[in-house]
Short mmCIF file of all heavy atoms in Angstrom, two decimals:
data_model
loop_
_atom_site.label_atom_id
_atom_site.label_comp_id
_atom_site.label_asym_id
_atom_site.label_seq_id
_atom_site.Cartn_x
_atom_site.Cartn_y
_atom_site.Cartn_z
N ARG A 395 14.85 -10.19 -11.54
CA ARG A 395 15.01 -10.37 -12.99
C ARG A 395 13.88 -11.22 -13.57
O ARG A 395 13.47 -11.02 -14.71
CB ARG A 395 16.36 -11.00 -13.30
CG ARG A 395 17.53 -10.05 -13.09
CD ARG A 395 18.86 -10.74 -13.41
NE ARG A 395 18.98 -11.05 -14.83
CZ ARG A 395 19.46 -10.21 -15.75
NH1 ARG A 395 19.87 -9.01 -15.38
NH2 ARG A 395 19.57 -10.58 -17.00
N LEU A 396 13.39 -12.18 -12.78
CA LEU A 396 12.31 -13.05 -13.27
C LEU A 396 10.94 -12.39 -13.16
O LEU A 396 9.97 -12.87 -13.74
CB LEU A 396 12.30 -14.37 -12.48
CG LEU A 396 13.51 -15.28 -12.70
CD1 LEU A 396 13.40 -16.51 -11.80
CD2 LEU A 396 13.64 -15.69 -14.16
N SER A 397 10.87 -11.30 -12.39
CA SER A 397 9.58 -10.66 -12.12
C SER A 397 9.35 -9.50 -13.08
O SER A 397 10.28 -8.77 -13.42
CB SER A 397 9.55 -10.16 -10.68
OG SER A 397 8.38 -9.40 -10.46
N LYS A 398 8.10 -9.35 -13.50
CA LYS A 398 7.76 -8.20 -14.32
C LYS A 398 7.78 -6.92 -13.49
O LYS A 398 8.13 -5.85 -13.98
CB LYS A 398 6.37 -8.39 -14.94
CG LYS A 398 6.30 -9.53 -15.94
CD LYS A 398 4.91 -9.64 -16.52
CE LYS A 398 4.82 -10.78 -17.54
NZ LYS A 398 3.45 -10.91 -18.11
N ASP A 399 7.38 -7.03 -12.25
CA ASP A 399 7.40 -5.89 -11.34
C ASP A 399 8.74 -5.88 -10.62
O ASP A 399 9.02 -6.72 -9.79
CB ASP A 399 6.26 -6.01 -10.33
CG ASP A 399 6.30 -4.90 -9.27
OD1 ASP A 399 7.07 -3.94 -9.46
OD2 ASP A 399 5.57 -5.02 -8.27
N LYS A 400 9.57 -4.91 -10.95
CA LYS A 400 10.92 -4.85 -10.38
C LYS A 400 11.02 -3.79 -9.27
O LYS A 400 12.07 -3.25 -9.02
CB LYS A 400 11.94 -4.55 -11.48
CG LYS A 400 12.02 -5.67 -12.52
CD LYS A 400 12.99 -5.34 -13.60
CE LYS A 400 13.24 -6.47 -14.58
NZ LYS A 400 12.25 -7.50 -14.67
N GLY A 401 9.90 -3.56 -8.64
CA GLY A 401 9.93 -2.63 -7.52
C GLY A 401 9.26 -1.32 -7.79
O GLY A 401 9.22 -0.46 -6.92
N GLU A 402 8.66 -1.17 -9.00
CA GLU A 402 8.01 0.09 -9.29
C GLU A 402 6.49 -0.06 -9.26
O GLU A 402 5.77 0.82 -9.70
CB GLU A 402 8.46 0.62 -10.66
CG GLU A 402 7.83 -0.05 -11.88
CD GLU A 402 8.52 -1.35 -12.26
OE1 GLU A 402 9.20 -1.93 -11.41
OE2 GLU A 402 8.35 -1.79 -13.41
N GLY A 403 5.99 -1.18 -8.74
CA GLY A 403 4.55 -1.44 -8.70
C GLY A 403 3.80 -0.39 -7.90
O GLY A 403 4.34 0.26 -7.03
N ASP A 404 2.49 -0.26 -8.20
CA ASP A 404 1.71 0.76 -7.51
C ASP A 404 1.38 0.32 -6.09
O ASP A 404 1.60 -0.82 -5.69
CB ASP A 404 0.44 1.11 -8.30
CG ASP A 404 -0.48 -0.10 -8.47
OD1 ASP A 404 -0.38 -1.04 -7.65
OD2 ASP A 404 -1.31 -0.08 -9.40
N LEU A 405 0.82 1.24 -5.34
CA LEU A 405 0.56 0.98 -3.93
C LEU A 405 -0.52 -0.06 -3.74
O LEU A 405 -0.48 -0.84 -2.79
CB LEU A 405 0.15 2.28 -3.22
CG LEU A 405 -0.13 2.17 -1.73
CD1 LEU A 405 1.10 1.70 -0.99
CD2 LEU A 405 -0.60 3.51 -1.19
N GLY A 406 -1.51 -0.07 -4.65
CA GLY A 406 -2.56 -1.07 -4.53
C GLY A 406 -2.00 -2.48 -4.59
O GLY A 406 -2.39 -3.36 -3.81
N ALA A 407 -1.07 -2.73 -5.53
CA ALA A 407 -0.45 -4.05 -5.63
C ALA A 407 0.37 -4.36 -4.39
O ALA A 407 0.36 -5.48 -3.88
CB ALA A 407 0.43 -4.12 -6.88
N ALA A 408 1.09 -3.36 -3.89
CA ALA A 408 1.89 -3.57 -2.69
C ALA A 408 1.01 -3.87 -1.49
O ALA A 408 1.34 -4.71 -0.65
CB ALA A 408 2.75 -2.34 -2.42
N THR A 409 -0.13 -3.20 -1.40
CA THR A 409 -1.04 -3.44 -0.29
C THR A 409 -1.61 -4.84 -0.34
O THR A 409 -1.68 -5.55 0.67
CB THR A 409 -2.20 -2.42 -0.32
OG1 THR A 409 -1.66 -1.10 -0.29
CG2 THR A 409 -3.13 -2.62 0.86
N ALA A 410 -2.02 -5.28 -1.56
CA ALA A 410 -2.56 -6.63 -1.70
C ALA A 410 -1.51 -7.68 -1.34
O ALA A 410 -1.80 -8.68 -0.69
CB ALA A 410 -3.04 -6.85 -3.13
N SER A 411 -0.28 -7.44 -1.77
CA SER A 411 0.80 -8.38 -1.45
C SER A 411 1.07 -8.41 0.05
O SER A 411 1.30 -9.46 0.64
CB SER A 411 2.09 -7.98 -2.20
OG SER A 411 1.90 -8.05 -3.59
N MET A 412 1.03 -7.24 0.67
CA MET A 412 1.26 -7.18 2.12
C MET A 412 0.20 -7.97 2.86
O MET A 412 0.50 -8.74 3.77
CB MET A 412 1.25 -5.74 2.60
CG MET A 412 1.45 -5.55 4.10
SD MET A 412 1.09 -3.89 4.69
CE MET A 412 -0.70 -3.87 4.46
N GLU A 413 -1.07 -7.81 2.45
CA GLU A 413 -2.14 -8.52 3.13
C GLU A 413 -2.06 -10.02 2.87
O GLU A 413 -2.38 -10.83 3.74
CB GLU A 413 -3.49 -7.98 2.68
CG GLU A 413 -3.74 -6.56 3.17
CD GLU A 413 -5.12 -6.06 2.80
OE1 GLU A 413 -5.68 -6.56 1.81
OE2 GLU A 413 -5.61 -5.17 3.50
N SER A 414 -1.61 -10.39 1.67
CA SER A 414 -1.42 -11.80 1.38
C SER A 414 -0.35 -12.40 2.27
O SER A 414 -0.48 -13.52 2.78
CB SER A 414 -1.04 -11.98 -0.10
OG SER A 414 -0.74 -13.33 -0.37
N MET A 415 0.73 -11.66 2.48
CA MET A 415 1.81 -12.14 3.33
C MET A 415 1.37 -12.23 4.79
O MET A 415 1.71 -13.17 5.50
CB MET A 415 3.01 -11.20 3.22
CG MET A 415 4.22 -11.61 4.03
SD MET A 415 5.57 -10.44 3.87
CE MET A 415 4.87 -8.99 4.61
N LYS A 416 0.57 -11.24 5.23
CA LYS A 416 0.11 -11.23 6.61
C LYS A 416 -0.97 -12.26 6.86
O LYS A 416 -1.17 -12.71 8.00
CB LYS A 416 -0.44 -9.84 6.97
CG LYS A 416 0.62 -8.77 7.04
CD LYS A 416 0.03 -7.39 7.19
CE LYS A 416 -0.71 -7.24 8.49
NZ LYS A 416 -1.20 -5.86 8.68
N GLY A 417 -1.71 -12.65 5.80
CA GLY A 417 -2.75 -13.64 5.96
C GLY A 417 -4.03 -13.08 6.56
O GLY A 417 -4.88 -13.84 7.02
N LYS A 418 -4.19 -11.76 6.59
CA LYS A 418 -5.40 -11.16 7.13
C LYS A 418 -5.52 -9.75 6.57
O LYS A 418 -4.58 -9.19 6.01
CB LYS A 418 -5.36 -11.10 8.65
CG LYS A 418 -4.25 -10.23 9.22
CD LYS A 418 -4.33 -10.18 10.73
CE LYS A 418 -3.24 -9.28 11.28
NZ LYS A 418 -3.31 -9.17 12.75
N LYS A 419 -6.71 -9.19 6.73
CA LYS A 419 -6.97 -7.84 6.28
C LYS A 419 -6.19 -6.84 7.10
O LYS A 419 -6.16 -6.91 8.32
CB LYS A 419 -8.47 -7.53 6.41
CG LYS A 419 -8.88 -6.18 5.86
CD LYS A 419 -8.95 -6.20 4.36
CE LYS A 419 -9.56 -4.91 3.83
NZ LYS A 419 -9.55 -4.86 2.38
N SER A 420 -5.53 -5.91 6.45
CA SER A 420 -4.80 -4.88 7.18
C SER A 420 -5.77 -3.91 7.82
O SER A 420 -6.79 -3.56 7.25
CB SER A 420 -3.86 -4.12 6.24
OG SER A 420 -3.34 -2.98 6.86
N SER A 421 -5.45 -3.46 9.02
CA SER A 421 -6.33 -2.53 9.73
C SER A 421 -6.40 -1.17 9.06
O SER A 421 -7.29 -0.39 9.36
CB SER A 421 -5.85 -2.36 11.18
OG SER A 421 -4.55 -1.83 11.21
N VAL A 422 -5.48 -0.88 8.17
CA VAL A 422 -5.49 0.43 7.50
C VAL A 422 -5.55 0.28 5.99
O VAL A 422 -5.29 1.23 5.27
CB VAL A 422 -4.23 1.25 7.89
CG1 VAL A 422 -4.27 1.59 9.36
CG2 VAL A 422 -2.95 0.50 7.56
N SER A 423 -5.92 -0.90 5.49
CA SER A 423 -5.84 -1.15 4.05
C SER A 423 -6.82 -0.30 3.25
O SER A 423 -6.59 0.00 2.08
CB SER A 423 -6.10 -2.63 3.76
OG SER A 423 -7.41 -2.99 4.18
N SER A 424 -7.93 0.11 3.88
CA SER A 424 -8.92 0.89 3.13
C SER A 424 -8.39 2.24 2.69
O SER A 424 -8.96 2.88 1.82
CB SER A 424 -10.17 1.09 3.99
OG SER A 424 -9.84 1.82 5.16
N THR A 425 -7.31 2.67 3.30
CA THR A 425 -6.78 4.00 2.98
C THR A 425 -5.45 3.94 2.27
O THR A 425 -4.91 4.97 1.89
CB THR A 425 -6.60 4.83 4.25
OG1 THR A 425 -5.66 4.19 5.08
CG2 THR A 425 -7.91 4.97 5.00
N LEU A 426 -4.90 2.75 2.09
CA LEU A 426 -3.55 2.66 1.53
C LEU A 426 -3.50 3.05 0.06
O LEU A 426 -2.48 3.52 -0.42
CB LEU A 426 -2.99 1.26 1.71
CG LEU A 426 -2.76 0.82 3.17
CD1 LEU A 426 -2.11 -0.54 3.20
CD2 LEU A 426 -1.92 1.83 3.90
N ALA A 427 -4.58 2.81 -0.68
CA ALA A 427 -4.55 3.09 -2.11
C ALA A 427 -4.75 4.56 -2.44
O ALA A 427 -4.48 4.99 -3.53
CB ALA A 427 -5.63 2.27 -2.82
N GLY A 428 -5.24 5.32 -1.50
CA GLY A 428 -5.49 6.73 -1.76
C GLY A 428 -4.53 7.60 -0.98
O GLY A 428 -3.93 7.19 -0.03
N THR A 429 -4.41 8.83 -1.42
CA THR A 429 -3.58 9.79 -0.71
C THR A 429 -4.35 11.07 -0.56
O THR A 429 -5.30 11.35 -1.27
CB THR A 429 -2.27 10.07 -1.47
OG1 THR A 429 -2.62 10.62 -2.75
CG2 THR A 429 -1.46 8.82 -1.68
N GLY A 430 -3.90 11.89 0.32
CA GLY A 430 -4.54 13.18 0.49
C GLY A 430 -4.04 13.88 1.71
O GLY A 430 -3.57 13.27 2.65
N ALA A 431 -4.19 15.18 1.71
CA ALA A 431 -3.77 15.96 2.85
C ALA A 431 -4.88 16.05 3.85
O ALA A 431 -6.05 15.93 3.53
CB ALA A 431 -3.35 17.36 2.39
N ALA A 432 -4.54 16.25 5.07
CA ALA A 432 -5.53 16.38 6.12
C ALA A 432 -6.01 17.82 6.21
O ALA A 432 -5.24 18.75 6.09
CB ALA A 432 -4.94 15.96 7.46
N ALA A 433 -7.32 17.98 6.41
CA ALA A 433 -7.86 19.32 6.59
C ALA A 433 -7.64 19.71 8.04
O ALA A 433 -8.35 19.26 8.92
CB ALA A 433 -9.35 19.33 6.24
N LEU A 434 -6.68 20.55 8.26
CA LEU A 434 -6.30 20.92 9.61
C LEU A 434 -7.09 22.14 10.05
O LEU A 434 -7.29 23.08 9.28
CB LEU A 434 -4.80 21.20 9.67
CG LEU A 434 -3.92 19.99 9.31
CD1 LEU A 434 -2.54 20.44 8.92
CD2 LEU A 434 -3.86 19.03 10.48
N SER A 435 -7.54 22.12 11.30
CA SER A 435 -8.37 23.21 11.80
C SER A 435 -7.56 24.46 12.14
O SER A 435 -8.11 25.52 12.34
CB SER A 435 -9.12 22.75 13.04
OG SER A 435 -8.21 22.33 14.04
N GLY A 436 -6.26 24.33 12.21
CA GLY A 436 -5.40 25.45 12.54
C GLY A 436 -4.02 25.25 11.96
O GLY A 436 -3.75 24.26 11.28
N PRO A 437 -3.11 26.17 12.21
CA PRO A 437 -1.76 26.03 11.66
C PRO A 437 -1.02 24.86 12.27
O PRO A 437 -1.26 24.46 13.40
CB PRO A 437 -1.10 27.37 12.05
CG PRO A 437 -1.89 27.85 13.22
CD PRO A 437 -3.29 27.40 12.98
N VAL A 438 -0.13 24.29 11.48
CA VAL A 438 0.69 23.16 11.93
C VAL A 438 1.95 23.69 12.60
O VAL A 438 2.69 24.47 12.00
CB VAL A 438 1.06 22.25 10.74
CG1 VAL A 438 2.01 21.14 11.19
CG2 VAL A 438 -0.18 21.65 10.12
#
């Protein structure tokens, strides 16, 4: 109730908060803000 962000914040904010809590750079943080499908060489 006291927070402006009530759980609908974007992934970038969530990633920054996660790294702040962990106290170090996340090993996968460079990809957390983006999304995309993988180009698969064959059928899944």
Side-chain angles (χ1 to χ4, degrees):
R395 288 180 67 87
L396 293 177
S397 173
K398 293 181 180 180
D399 175 12
K400 296 178 174 21
E402 77 278 20
D404 61 22
L405 181 61
T409 303
S411 297
M412 178 193 69
E413 291 184 335
S414 175
M415 181 181 65
K416 291 171 65 176
K418 63 177 182 178
K419 185 76 172 176
S420 169
S421 61
V422 294
S423 62
S424 61
T425 62
L426 295 184
T429 61
L434 298 160
S435 59
V438 175

